[in-house]
């Protein structure tokens, strides 16, 4: 399967899962997983920065359209996409990674978890701060950021574990 087709399918799958399944989840009134950020996480390490930003915007914009959230997902994904090329070398030691996707195999377990944890937290902090539109109750906003980040982190780690097991076969 061609790379463009594979990424297009991955894009479509995370958007559909987010819109039709995960947006309806709300654990204890605080935590909703936002796994669509997994698409940004898994793009090749050496992707062109302009393409990364365009894909980040398109992902957030499509989520915004279907969730009736004017621009907040787009802003959060573009910011995450903007920071991603700087986070990878800051959090992970790589020898060479041309056309390679971030993964546990490529980064190692702890660096990969650190990478996804930081990117998820940054994305969610911006998204949920924008969503609250104020810091009227900063403890509730902080609780939502932490709860949503943890929920998303666990789901993405589980999905990554499934791909690791799939590749070992």
């Amino acid at each position: 399967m061609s790379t463009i087709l594979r990424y297009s399918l991955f894009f479509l799958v995370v958007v559909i899962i987010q819109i039709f399944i995960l947006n309806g989840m709300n654990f204890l009134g605080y935590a909703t997983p936002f796994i669509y950020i997994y698409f940004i996480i898994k793009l090749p390490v050496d992707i062109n920065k302009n393409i990364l930003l365009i894909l980040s915007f398109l992902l957030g914009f499509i989520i915004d359209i279907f969730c009736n959230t004017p621009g907040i997902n787009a802003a959060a994904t573009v910011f995450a996409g903007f920071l991603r090329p700087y986070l990878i070398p800051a959090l992970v030691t790589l020898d060479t990674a041309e056309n390679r996707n971030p993964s546990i195999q490529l980064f190692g377990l702890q660096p990969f978890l650190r990478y996804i944890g930081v990117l998820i937290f940054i994305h969610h902090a911006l998204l949920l701060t924008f969503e609250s539109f104020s810091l009227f109750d900063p403890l509730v906003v902080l609780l939502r950021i932490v709860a949503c980040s943890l929920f998303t982190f666990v789901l993405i780690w589980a999905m990554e574990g499934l791909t690791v097991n799939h590749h070992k076969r």
Side-chain angles (χ1 to χ4, degrees):
M1 184 182 319
S2 80
T3 304
I4 293 174
L5 182 60
R6 190 175 61 236
Y7 279 108
S8 299
L9 185 60
F10 184 40
F11 184 97
L12 189 62
V13 167
V14 295
V15 167
I16 288 170
I17 290 171
Q18 185 66 52
I19 292 168
F20 295 110
I21 298 170
L22 299 178
N23 281 352
M25 293 179 129
N26 197 341
F27 187 69
L28 299 176
Y30 291 101
T32 300
F34 299 102
I35 60 116
Y36 65 89
I37 192 68
Y38 192 42
F39 179 78
I40 305 299
I41 288 169
K42 292 298 285 184
L43 287 171
V45 171
D46 64 342
I47 190 170
N48 178 290
K49 290 177 185 177
N50 293 328
I51 293 172
L52 175 62
L53 291 175
I54 290 167
L55 290 172
S56 298
F57 174 76
L58 285 174
L59 178 64
F61 183 68
I62 290 170
I63 297 293
D64 281 331
I65 288 171
F66 284 97
C67 298
N68 198 23
T69 52
I72 63 172
N73 289 285
T77 54
V78 168
F79 189 67
F82 174 77
L83 289 180
R84 182 183 179 268
Y86 304 103
L87 287 176
I88 291 174
L91 299 171
V92 178
T93 304
L94 290 176
D95 293 330
T96 180
E98 290 182 18
N99 290 322
R100 306 254 336 252
N101 297 347
S103 65
I104 292 171
Q105 296 94 339
L106 181 63
F107 289 179
L109 180 62
Q110 288 183 349
F112 181 75
L113 295 179
R114 192 170 41 244
Y115 160 65
I116 67 170
V118 169
L119 198 61
I120 289 168
F121 184 81
I122 289 169
H123 171 266
H124 287 36
L126 194 59
L127 176 71
L128 296 168
T129 301
F130 284 161
E131 183 183 80
S132 75
F133 198 61
S134 74
L135 292 176
F136 180 70
D137 198 350
L139 290 178
V140 171
V141 174
L142 183 60
L143 177 62
R144 289 203 64 224
I145 292 168
V146 170
C148 292
S149 295
L150 285 173
F151 200 176
T152 303
F153 180 86
V154 168
L155 287 177
I156 288 176
W157 188 9
M159 291 187 312
E160 188 67 21
L162 291 174
T163 62
V164 168
N165 290 334
H166 176 70
H167 291 298
K168 286 184 179 178
R169 291 182 189 168

